[in-house]
Amino acid sequence: MSSASSAPTTTPNNHFTYVFIPANDSLPIKALTGDKSGGLSDDILSKEAKRYFYENSDKGARAAALDGATPEQRKMLADQLREEVKGSQSPYAAQMAGLDDDALINIMRTTHTSATCEITALTVPTPLNNHRAVSMYTADDARTQNLPYNRRATELLLACGHSINTAEASPSTAAIGAAPPGGICGDAFVGRCHDDEVKDVWERVDFTVEEADPRAEWCDVARKQGGGGGG
């Protein structure tokens, strides 16, 4: 990871602060810093989150196993994926269960050999929040890995006006950036950007440890009409 601290930081102009929220409540929320010069196309926070979740998953081992699998093993892996999605809350579980072995193997090859993560929009940019978007980055396979519930990240999600009902979303209504059903599982990163399409601005700005508190003022703004949260 980038440099870390649990104390307030003064960030240089070309760097920004973001936070890491461990699922383990006994561990502190940490402030991390990153270089903002990559902009949207080469965002260091997104890259760091993807790298972290890849390295802390079994994706590398599963990719190696897939590359060396016999036809019999490939069928077994396809059946295993069917069982995984059957027990998950993914809105696409029913569709994936109906795919043939080759299609499932291709999906496994894509998802298990690349660094990815799930991005949840805590707020979208609006005039009321000064065009500040706050996003949460988590493992996209958190539930299939049975990662632990993250109380602090979930409380922050709720404080922004989002619902975490456990009903499974329909593939036709599932929204990109929507809150995961049941709340956040596993470790989480949270960062902020200034995003104003009219002025053609996208820049990382600070999100501090103090702002990871559900009682923070920006959460109150997020819950207002036009505040950018889930309310």
Side-chain angles (χ1 to χ4, degrees):
M1 291 185 194
S2 304
S3 59
S5 170
S6 58
T9 58
T10 301
T11 313
N13 288 338
N14 63 332
H15 285 70
F16 67 97
T17 299
Y18 60 103
V19 303
F20 175 70
I21 307 177
N24 186 341
D25 277 352
S26 68
L27 299 176
I29 297 175
K30 293 183 179 181
L32 307 171
T33 59
D35 187 338
K36 66 170 67 175
S37 62
L40 177 59
S41 62
D42 193 26
D43 178 39
I44 190 65
L45 171 49
S46 178
K47 291 170 64 175
E48 283 289 302
K50 290 175 181 178
R51 180 192 60 79
Y52 175 84
F53 294 122
Y54 184 85
E55 291 180 353
N56 287 274
S57 73
D58 61 354
K59 286 184 175 182
R62 294 179 74 172
L66 184 59
D67 288 340
T70 65
E72 292 77 14
Q73 290 171 329
R74 287 165 63 89
K75 177 172 176 52
M76 183 178 67
L77 288 168
D79 289 340
Q80 179 183 337
L81 182 56
R82 287 190 183 93
E83 288 302 314
E84 286 182 0
V85 298
K86 186 186 298 183
S88 75
Q89 298 185 36
S90 168
Y92 306 104
Q95 292 178 343
M96 291 181 66
L99 297 176
D100 62 26
D101 288 356
D102 287 342
L104 287 174
I105 290 296
N106 286 335
I107 290 173
M108 293 178 74
R109 190 178 300 280
T110 299
T111 59
H112 295 168
T113 60
S114 60
T116 58
C117 67
E118 181 168 351
I119 304 175
T120 301
L122 299 187
T123 67
V124 296
T126 69
L128 187 60
N129 63 27
N130 294 316
H131 299 279
R132 265 45 176 187
V134 178
S135 300
M136 183 176 289
Y137 300 76
T138 54
D140 57 1
D141 55 355
R143 284 174 175 75
T144 57
Q145 285 196 74
N146 294 316
L147 296 182
Y149 180 73
N150 191 323
R151 177 189 62 80
R152 292 176 294 188
T154 300
E155 288 179 353
L156 195 60
L157 184 74
L158 291 170
C160 294
H162 294 277
S163 170
I164 57 167
N165 64 69
T166 57
E168 186 170 313
S170 163
S172 62
T173 60
I176 295 174
I184 303 299
C185 291
D187 299 333
F189 296 87
V190 181
R192 174 186 281 126
C193 69
H194 178 194
D195 185 359
D196 189 334
E197 290 187 2
V198 174
K199 296 182 179 179
D200 194 25
V201 172
W202 195 97
E203 180 185 25
R204 280 294 179 190
V205 292
D206 290 343
F207 185 90
T208 66
V209 168
E210 292 75 21
E211 291 177 299
D213 187 334
R215 296 164 295 184
E217 182 180 358
W218 73 272
C219 294
D220 294 336
V221 174
R223 292 193 303 273
K224 295 179 180 179
Q225 184 176 0

mmCIF file of all heavy atoms in Angstrom, residues 142-189:
data_model
loop_
_atom_site.group_PDB
_atom_site.id
_atom_site.type_symbol
_atom_site.label_atom_id
_atom_site.label_comp_id
_atom_site.label_asym_id
_atom_site.label_seq_id
_atom_site.Cartn_x
_atom_site.Cartn_y
_atom_site.Cartn_z
ATOM 1 N N ALA A 142 -16.281 -10.978 -2.406
ATOM 2 C CA ALA A 142 -16.277 -11.016 -0.943
ATOM 3 C C ALA A 142 -17.158 -12.122 -0.384
ATOM 4 O O ALA A 142 -16.789 -12.797 0.584
ATOM 5 C CB ALA A 142 -16.730 -9.662 -0.386
ATOM 6 N N ARG A 143 -18.320 -12.331 -1.003
ATOM 7 C CA ARG A 143 -19.237 -13.330 -0.456
ATOM 8 C C ARG A 143 -18.839 -14.750 -0.818
ATOM 9 O O ARG A 143 -19.005 -15.670 -0.021
ATOM 10 C CB ARG A 143 -20.666 -13.005 -0.896
ATOM 11 C CG ARG A 143 -21.229 -11.837 -0.090
ATOM 12 C CD ARG A 143 -22.567 -11.354 -0.561
ATOM 13 N NE ARG A 143 -23.060 -10.332 0.350
ATOM 14 C CZ ARG A 143 -22.620 -9.076 0.404
ATOM 15 N NH1 ARG A 143 -21.682 -8.691 -0.429
ATOM 16 N NH2 ARG A 143 -23.102 -8.216 1.268
ATOM 17 N N THR A 144 -18.320 -14.949 -2.014
ATOM 18 C CA THR A 144 -17.871 -16.305 -2.364
ATOM 19 C C THR A 144 -16.624 -16.673 -1.567
ATOM 20 O O THR A 144 -16.351 -17.862 -1.359
ATOM 21 C CB THR A 144 -17.577 -16.431 -3.871
ATOM 22 O OG1 THR A 144 -16.590 -15.459 -4.255
ATOM 23 C CG2 THR A 144 -18.843 -16.197 -4.682
ATOM 24 N N GLN A 145 -15.872 -15.668 -1.106
ATOM 25 C CA GLN A 145 -14.722 -15.924 -0.232
ATOM 26 C C GLN A 145 -15.135 -16.023 1.234
ATOM 27 O O GLN A 145 -14.311 -16.324 2.095
ATOM 28 C CB GLN A 145 -13.700 -14.793 -0.352
ATOM 29 C CG GLN A 145 -12.878 -14.791 -1.615
ATOM 30 C CD GLN A 145 -11.666 -13.883 -1.447
ATOM 31 O OE1 GLN A 145 -10.713 -14.210 -0.758
ATOM 32 N NE2 GLN A 145 -11.709 -12.710 -2.071
ATOM 33 N N ASN A 146 -16.423 -15.738 1.519
ATOM 34 C CA ASN A 146 -16.925 -15.720 2.897
ATOM 35 C C ASN A 146 -16.129 -14.747 3.772
ATOM 36 O O ASN A 146 -15.783 -15.061 4.920
ATOM 37 C CB ASN A 146 -16.888 -17.130 3.511
ATOM 38 C CG ASN A 146 -17.847 -18.078 2.834
ATOM 39 O OD1 ASN A 146 -18.997 -17.726 2.564
ATOM 40 N ND2 ASN A 146 -17.396 -19.284 2.549
ATOM 41 N N LEU A 147 -15.849 -13.568 3.230
ATOM 42 C CA LEU A 147 -15.129 -12.562 3.991
ATOM 43 C C LEU A 147 -16.008 -12.017 5.119
ATOM 44 O O LEU A 147 -17.237 -11.973 4.997
ATOM 45 C CB LEU A 147 -14.684 -11.418 3.071
ATOM 46 C CG LEU A 147 -13.681 -11.797 1.976
ATOM 47 C CD1 LEU A 147 -13.296 -10.565 1.169
ATOM 48 C CD2 LEU A 147 -12.440 -12.455 2.566
ATOM 49 N N PRO A 148 -15.416 -11.607 6.228
ATOM 50 C CA PRO A 148 -16.201 -11.163 7.386
ATOM 51 C C PRO A 148 -16.937 -9.854 7.138
ATOM 52 O O PRO A 148 -16.513 -9.017 6.339
ATOM 53 C CB PRO A 148 -15.143 -11.004 8.483
ATOM 54 C CG PRO A 148 -13.867 -10.752 7.746
ATOM 55 C CD PRO A 148 -13.963 -11.575 6.496
ATOM 56 N N TYR A 149 -18.037 -9.694 7.845
ATOM 57 C CA TYR A 149 -18.842 -8.474 7.788
ATOM 58 C C TYR A 149 -18.016 -7.284 8.250
ATOM 59 O O TYR A 149 -17.293 -7.359 9.241
ATOM 60 C CB TYR A 149 -20.064 -8.663 8.678
ATOM 61 C CG TYR A 149 -21.014 -7.495 8.744
ATOM 62 C CD1 TYR A 149 -21.834 -7.182 7.662
ATOM 63 C CD2 TYR A 149 -21.128 -6.729 9.908
ATOM 64 C CE1 TYR A 149 -22.735 -6.125 7.731
ATOM 65 C CE2 TYR A 149 -22.027 -5.679 9.986
ATOM 66 C CZ TYR A 149 -22.825 -5.378 8.896
ATOM 67 O OH TYR A 149 -23.711 -4.336 8.974
ATOM 68 N N ASN A 150 -18.114 -6.170 7.535
ATOM 69 C CA ASN A 150 -17.396 -4.957 7.888
ATOM 70 C C ASN A 150 -18.389 -3.960 8.469
ATOM 71 O O ASN A 150 -19.092 -3.249 7.740
ATOM 72 C CB ASN A 150 -16.692 -4.369 6.656
ATOM 73 C CG ASN A 150 -15.712 -3.265 7.008
ATOM 74 O OD1 ASN A 150 -15.957 -2.470 7.907
ATOM 75 N ND2 ASN A 150 -14.607 -3.201 6.280
ATOM 76 N N ARG A 151 -18.459 -3.924 9.802
ATOM 77 C CA ARG A 151 -19.444 -3.085 10.485
ATOM 78 C C ARG A 151 -19.229 -1.605 10.181
ATOM 79 O O ARG A 151 -20.181 -0.868 9.869
ATOM 80 C CB ARG A 151 -19.373 -3.318 11.998
ATOM 81 C CG ARG A 151 -20.322 -2.419 12.815
ATOM 82 C CD ARG A 151 -20.071 -2.533 14.297
ATOM 83 N NE ARG A 151 -18.731 -2.115 14.677
ATOM 84 C CZ ARG A 151 -18.351 -0.845 14.829
ATOM 85 N NH1 ARG A 151 -19.226 0.133 14.622
ATOM 86 N NH2 ARG A 151 -17.124 -0.545 15.191
ATOM 87 N N ARG A 152 -17.992 -1.130 10.266
ATOM 88 C CA ARG A 152 -17.728 0.303 10.104
ATOM 89 C C ARG A 152 -17.994 0.772 8.678
ATOM 90 O O ARG A 152 -18.560 1.859 8.474
ATOM 91 C CB ARG A 152 -16.283 0.609 10.527
ATOM 92 C CG ARG A 152 -16.060 0.425 12.016
ATOM 93 C CD ARG A 152 -14.610 0.631 12.410
ATOM 94 N NE ARG A 152 -13.735 -0.394 11.843
ATOM 95 C CZ ARG A 152 -12.445 -0.523 12.155
ATOM 96 N NH1 ARG A 152 -11.891 0.322 13.016
ATOM 97 N NH2 ARG A 152 -11.709 -1.472 11.614
ATOM 98 N N ALA A 153 -17.624 -0.035 7.700
ATOM 99 C CA ALA A 153 -17.888 0.347 6.306
ATOM 100 C C ALA A 153 -19.385 0.343 6.029
ATOM 101 O O ALA A 153 -19.901 1.214 5.315
ATOM 102 C CB ALA A 153 -17.169 -0.605 5.359
ATOM 103 N N THR A 154 -20.097 -0.633 6.594
ATOM 104 C CA THR A 154 -21.547 -0.703 6.393
ATOM 105 C C THR A 154 -22.247 0.474 7.057
ATOM 106 O O THR A 154 -23.186 1.056 6.494
ATOM 107 C CB THR A 154 -22.099 -2.029 6.937
ATOM 108 O OG1 THR A 154 -21.471 -3.122 6.254
ATOM 109 C CG2 THR A 154 -23.607 -2.122 6.736
ATOM 110 N N GLU A 155 -21.807 0.866 8.243
ATOM 111 C CA GLU A 155 -22.404 2.022 8.926
ATOM 112 C C GLU A 155 -22.192 3.301 8.120
ATOM 113 O O GLU A 155 -23.070 4.173 8.076
ATOM 114 C CB GLU A 155 -21.812 2.163 10.327
ATOM 115 C CG GLU A 155 -22.304 1.094 11.289
ATOM 116 C CD GLU A 155 -21.701 1.222 12.681
ATOM 117 O OE1 GLU A 155 -20.787 2.069 12.859
ATOM 118 O OE2 GLU A 155 -22.135 0.480 13.583
ATOM 119 N N LEU A 156 -21.034 3.421 7.471
ATOM 120 C CA LEU A 156 -20.775 4.588 6.633
ATOM 121 C C LEU A 156 -21.705 4.585 5.423
ATOM 122 O O LEU A 156 -22.239 5.633 5.025
ATOM 123 C CB LEU A 156 -19.313 4.576 6.187
ATOM 124 C CG LEU A 156 -18.748 5.864 5.595
ATOM 125 C CD1 LEU A 156 -18.824 7.010 6.596
ATOM 126 C CD2 LEU A 156 -17.308 5.652 5.151
ATOM 127 N N LEU A 157 -21.917 3.422 4.847
ATOM 128 C CA LEU A 157 -22.840 3.268 3.724
ATOM 129 C C LEU A 157 -24.256 3.696 4.124
ATOM 130 O O LEU A 157 -24.921 4.467 3.415
ATOM 131 C CB LEU A 157 -22.824 1.810 3.272
ATOM 132 C CG LEU A 157 -23.633 1.409 2.047
ATOM 133 C CD1 LEU A 157 -22.973 1.899 0.775
ATOM 134 C CD2 LEU A 157 -23.769 -0.117 1.993
ATOM 135 N N LEU A 158 -24.705 3.224 5.272
ATOM 136 C CA LEU A 158 -26.035 3.569 5.760
ATOM 137 C C LEU A 158 -26.148 5.056 6.075
ATOM 138 O O LEU A 158 -27.188 5.676 5.828
ATOM 139 C CB LEU A 158 -26.360 2.749 7.011
ATOM 140 C CG LEU A 158 -26.580 1.253 6.804
ATOM 141 C CD1 LEU A 158 -26.640 0.539 8.149
ATOM 142 C CD2 LEU A 158 -27.856 1.001 6.013
ATOM 143 N N ALA A 159 -25.073 5.642 6.601
ATOM 144 C CA ALA A 159 -25.091 7.059 6.955
ATOM 145 C C ALA A 159 -25.263 7.947 5.736
ATOM 146 O O ALA A 159 -25.693 9.100 5.852
ATOM 147 C CB ALA A 159 -23.800 7.426 7.691
ATOM 148 N N CYS A 160 -24.935 7.408 4.557
ATOM 149 C CA CYS A 160 -25.099 8.162 3.309
ATOM 150 C C CYS A 160 -26.478 7.950 2.692
ATOM 151 O O CYS A 160 -26.735 8.396 1.569
ATOM 152 C CB CYS A 160 -24.020 7.766 2.304
ATOM 153 S SG CYS A 160 -22.361 8.221 2.814
ATOM 154 N N GLY A 161 -27.362 7.253 3.417
ATOM 155 C CA GLY A 161 -28.738 7.098 2.965
ATOM 156 C C GLY A 161 -29.006 5.868 2.133
ATOM 157 O O GLY A 161 -30.092 5.737 1.553
ATOM 158 N N HIS A 162 -28.054 4.927 2.062
ATOM 159 C CA HIS A 162 -28.244 3.727 1.252
ATOM 160 C C HIS A 162 -28.974 2.640 2.031
ATOM 161 O O HIS A 162 -28.890 2.569 3.254
ATOM 162 C CB HIS A 162 -26.898 3.188 0.769
ATOM 163 C CG HIS A 162 -26.199 4.109 -0.174
ATOM 164 N ND1 HIS A 162 -26.479 4.145 -1.524
ATOM 165 C CD2 HIS A 162 -25.240 5.052 0.041
ATOM 166 C CE1 HIS A 162 -25.713 5.057 -2.102
ATOM 167 N NE2 HIS A 162 -24.954 5.626 -1.177
ATOM 168 N N SER A 163 -29.666 1.791 1.301
ATOM 169 C CA SER A 163 -30.359 0.653 1.883
ATOM 170 C C SER A 163 -29.525 -0.596 1.659
ATOM 171 O O SER A 163 -28.881 -0.749 0.620
ATOM 172 C CB SER A 163 -31.735 0.483 1.216
ATOM 173 O OG SER A 163 -32.325 -0.743 1.589
ATOM 174 N N ILE A 164 -29.532 -1.503 2.626
ATOM 175 C CA ILE A 164 -28.801 -2.756 2.466
ATOM 176 C C ILE A 164 -29.732 -3.942 2.682
ATOM 177 O O ILE A 164 -29.358 -4.942 3.282
ATOM 178 C CB ILE A 164 -27.603 -2.846 3.420
ATOM 179 C CG1 ILE A 164 -28.055 -2.682 4.877
ATOM 180 C CG2 ILE A 164 -26.551 -1.805 3.077
ATOM 181 C CD1 ILE A 164 -26.979 -3.069 5.882
ATOM 182 N N ASN A 165 -30.961 -3.832 2.184
ATOM 183 C CA ASN A 165 -31.881 -4.946 2.355
ATOM 184 C C ASN A 165 -31.292 -6.180 1.686
ATOM 185 O O ASN A 165 -30.529 -6.105 0.735
ATOM 186 C CB ASN A 165 -33.263 -4.612 1.776
ATOM 187 C CG ASN A 165 -33.219 -4.403 0.277
ATOM 188 O OD1 ASN A 165 -32.997 -5.336 -0.495
ATOM 189 N ND2 ASN A 165 -33.444 -3.168 -0.152
ATOM 190 N N THR A 166 -31.672 -7.342 2.198
ATOM 191 C CA THR A 166 -31.059 -8.596 1.753
ATOM 192 C C THR A 166 -31.734 -9.203 0.543
ATOM 193 O O THR A 166 -31.320 -10.249 0.058
ATOM 194 C CB THR A 166 -31.093 -9.622 2.892
ATOM 195 O OG1 THR A 166 -32.451 -9.808 3.326
ATOM 196 C CG2 THR A 166 -30.260 -9.133 4.078
ATOM 197 N N ALA A 167 -32.781 -8.557 0.018
ATOM 198 C CA ALA A 167 -33.460 -9.099 -1.164
ATOM 199 C C ALA A 167 -32.525 -9.067 -2.360
ATOM 200 O O ALA A 167 -31.791 -8.111 -2.574
ATOM 201 C CB ALA A 167 -34.713 -8.276 -1.465
ATOM 202 N N GLU A 168 -32.549 -10.139 -3.144
ATOM 203 C CA GLU A 168 -31.680 -10.235 -4.312
ATOM 204 C C GLU A 168 -32.192 -9.339 -5.431
ATOM 205 O O GLU A 168 -33.366 -9.368 -5.788
ATOM 206 C CB GLU A 168 -31.620 -11.685 -4.789
ATOM 207 C CG GLU A 168 -30.629 -11.911 -5.905
ATOM 208 C CD GLU A 168 -30.414 -13.390 -6.190
ATOM 209 O OE1 GLU A 168 -30.226 -14.143 -5.247
ATOM 210 O OE2 GLU A 168 -30.464 -13.762 -7.374
ATOM 211 N N ALA A 169 -31.317 -8.517 -5.985
ATOM 212 C CA ALA A 169 -31.703 -7.592 -7.050
ATOM 213 C C ALA A 169 -31.909 -8.326 -8.361
ATOM 214 O O ALA A 169 -31.281 -9.334 -8.638
ATOM 215 C CB ALA A 169 -30.637 -6.522 -7.214
ATOM 216 N N SER A 170 -32.818 -7.801 -9.170
ATOM 217 C CA SER A 170 -33.041 -8.355 -10.504
ATOM 218 C C SER A 170 -31.951 -7.858 -11.438
ATOM 219 O O SER A 170 -31.520 -6.707 -11.334
ATOM 220 C CB SER A 170 -34.416 -7.903 -11.018
ATOM 221 O OG SER A 170 -34.495 -8.089 -12.415
ATOM 222 N N PRO A 171 -31.478 -8.704 -12.369
ATOM 223 C CA PRO A 171 -30.462 -8.245 -13.327
ATOM 224 C C PRO A 171 -30.896 -7.026 -14.119
ATOM 225 O O PRO A 171 -30.072 -6.222 -14.537
ATOM 226 C CB PRO A 171 -30.287 -9.458 -14.251
ATOM 227 C CG PRO A 171 -30.693 -10.627 -13.420
ATOM 228 C CD PRO A 171 -31.798 -10.116 -12.540
ATOM 229 N N SER A 172 -32.220 -6.857 -14.297
ATOM 230 C CA SER A 172 -32.711 -5.734 -15.086
ATOM 231 C C SER A 172 -32.750 -4.437 -14.287
ATOM 232 O O SER A 172 -32.849 -3.356 -14.850
ATOM 233 C CB SER A 172 -34.123 -6.042 -15.615
ATOM 234 O OG SER A 172 -35.017 -6.226 -14.540
ATOM 235 N N THR A 173 -32.672 -4.544 -12.947
ATOM 236 C CA THR A 173 -32.751 -3.345 -12.119
ATOM 237 C C THR A 173 -31.470 -3.078 -11.341
ATOM 238 O O THR A 173 -31.331 -2.030 -10.727
ATOM 239 C CB THR A 173 -33.920 -3.453 -11.118
ATOM 240 O OG1 THR A 173 -33.714 -4.599 -10.276
ATOM 241 C CG2 THR A 173 -35.251 -3.591 -11.843
ATOM 242 N N ALA A 174 -30.524 -4.014 -11.347
ATOM 243 C CA ALA A 174 -29.274 -3.806 -10.619
ATOM 244 C C ALA A 174 -28.518 -2.625 -11.216
ATOM 245 O O ALA A 174 -28.336 -2.538 -12.421
ATOM 246 C CB ALA A 174 -28.404 -5.060 -10.683
ATOM 247 N N ALA A 175 -28.085 -1.703 -10.337
ATOM 248 C CA ALA A 175 -27.413 -0.497 -10.802
ATOM 249 C C ALA A 175 -25.921 -0.568 -10.521
ATOM 250 O O ALA A 175 -25.499 -1.084 -9.492
ATOM 251 C CB ALA A 175 -28.010 0.725 -10.095
ATOM 252 N N ILE A 176 -25.129 -0.034 -11.466
ATOM 253 C CA ILE A 176 -23.693 0.049 -11.248
ATOM 254 C C ILE A 176 -23.434 1.000 -10.080
ATOM 255 O O ILE A 176 -23.955 2.102 -10.030
ATOM 256 C CB ILE A 176 -22.984 0.559 -12.512
ATOM 257 C CG1 ILE A 176 -23.145 -0.461 -13.648
ATOM 258 C CG2 ILE A 176 -21.517 0.831 -12.241
ATOM 259 C CD1 ILE A 176 -22.609 0.027 -14.970
ATOM 260 N N GLY A 177 -22.622 0.569 -9.135
ATOM 261 C CA GLY A 177 -22.316 1.400 -7.979
ATOM 262 C C GLY A 177 -23.324 1.287 -6.860
ATOM 263 O O GLY A 177 -23.214 1.972 -5.849
ATOM 264 N N ALA A 178 -24.336 0.410 -7.007
ATOM 265 C CA ALA A 178 -25.357 0.261 -5.977
ATOM 266 C C ALA A 178 -24.791 -0.445 -4.749
ATOM 267 O O ALA A 178 -23.803 -1.174 -4.828
ATOM 268 C CB ALA A 178 -26.540 -0.533 -6.532
ATOM 269 N N ALA A 179 -25.430 -0.218 -3.599
ATOM 270 C CA ALA A 179 -24.986 -0.841 -2.357
ATOM 271 C C ALA A 179 -25.152 -2.354 -2.426
ATOM 272 O O ALA A 179 -26.195 -2.843 -2.852
ATOM 273 C CB ALA A 179 -25.794 -0.289 -1.184
ATOM 274 N N PRO A 180 -24.133 -3.120 -2.009
ATOM 275 C CA PRO A 180 -24.260 -4.583 -2.010
ATOM 276 C C PRO A 180 -25.350 -5.035 -1.048
ATOM 277 O O PRO A 180 -25.431 -4.518 0.068
ATOM 278 C CB PRO A 180 -22.874 -5.051 -1.529
ATOM 279 C CG PRO A 180 -21.973 -3.891 -1.744
ATOM 280 C CD PRO A 180 -22.814 -2.675 -1.568
ATOM 281 N N PRO A 181 -26.216 -5.973 -1.439
ATOM 282 C CA PRO A 181 -27.249 -6.472 -0.536
ATOM 283 C C PRO A 181 -26.632 -7.033 0.740
ATOM 284 O O PRO A 181 -25.641 -7.752 0.693
ATOM 285 C CB PRO A 181 -27.926 -7.582 -1.351
ATOM 286 C CG PRO A 181 -27.625 -7.256 -2.772
ATOM 287 C CD PRO A 181 -26.258 -6.617 -2.753
ATOM 288 N N GLY A 182 -27.174 -6.662 1.893
ATOM 289 C CA GLY A 182 -26.678 -7.188 3.158
ATOM 290 C C GLY A 182 -25.514 -6.421 3.751
ATOM 291 O O GLY A 182 -25.073 -6.715 4.856
ATOM 292 N N GLY A 183 -25.004 -5.420 3.054
ATOM 293 C CA GLY A 183 -23.909 -4.630 3.601
ATOM 294 C C GLY A 183 -22.552 -5.003 3.043
ATOM 295 O O GLY A 183 -22.439 -5.752 2.079
ATOM 296 N N ILE A 184 -21.502 -4.474 3.662
ATOM 297 C CA ILE A 184 -20.127 -4.631 3.175
ATOM 298 C C ILE A 184 -19.442 -5.790 3.886
ATOM 299 O O ILE A 184 -19.487 -5.907 5.107
ATOM 300 C CB ILE A 184 -19.313 -3.342 3.413
ATOM 301 C CG1 ILE A 184 -19.990 -2.140 2.727
ATOM 302 C CG2 ILE A 184 -17.881 -3.505 2.918
ATOM 303 C CD1 ILE A 184 -20.118 -2.264 1.231
ATOM 304 N N CYS A 185 -18.781 -6.632 3.098
ATOM 305 C CA CYS A 185 -17.988 -7.727 3.650
ATOM 306 C C CYS A 185 -16.533 -7.542 3.237
ATOM 307 O O CYS A 185 -16.244 -7.136 2.118
ATOM 308 C CB CYS A 185 -18.503 -9.072 3.152
ATOM 309 S SG CYS A 185 -20.120 -9.541 3.805
ATOM 310 N N GLY A 186 -15.627 -7.855 4.152
ATOM 311 C CA GLY A 186 -14.206 -7.720 3.872
ATOM 312 C C GLY A 186 -13.711 -6.301 4.073
ATOM 313 O O GLY A 186 -14.467 -5.389 4.406
ATOM 314 N N ASP A 187 -12.411 -6.115 3.890
ATOM 315 C CA ASP A 187 -11.797 -4.802 4.036
ATOM 316 C C ASP A 187 -12.313 -3.838 2.962
ATOM 317 O O ASP A 187 -12.797 -4.274 1.914
ATOM 318 C CB ASP A 187 -10.279 -4.914 3.918
ATOM 319 C CG ASP A 187 -9.671 -5.803 4.992
ATOM 320 O OD1 ASP A 187 -10.276 -5.921 6.077
ATOM 321 O OD2 ASP A 187 -8.594 -6.382 4.739
ATOM 322 N N ALA A 188 -12.176 -2.543 3.227
ATOM 323 C CA ALA A 188 -12.683 -1.539 2.287
ATOM 324 C C ALA A 188 -11.756 -0.335 2.229
ATOM 325 O O ALA A 188 -11.122 0.032 3.224
ATOM 326 C CB ALA A 188 -14.087 -1.086 2.693
ATOM 327 N N PHE A 189 -11.677 0.258 1.050
ATOM 328 C CA PHE A 189 -11.005 1.544 0.843
ATOM 329 C C PHE A 189 -12.082 2.576 0.528
ATOM 330 O O PHE A 189 -13.079 2.257 -0.128
ATOM 331 C CB PHE A 189 -10.037 1.481 -0.333
ATOM 332 C CG PHE A 189 -8.877 0.545 -0.157
ATOM 333 C CD1 PHE A 189 -8.988 -0.785 -0.500
ATOM 334 C CD2 PHE A 189 -7.665 1.011 0.337
ATOM 335 C CE1 PHE A 189 -7.908 -1.661 -0.358
ATOM 336 C CE2 PHE A 189 -6.585 0.152 0.491
ATOM 337 C CZ PHE A 189 -6.705 -1.188 0.145
#
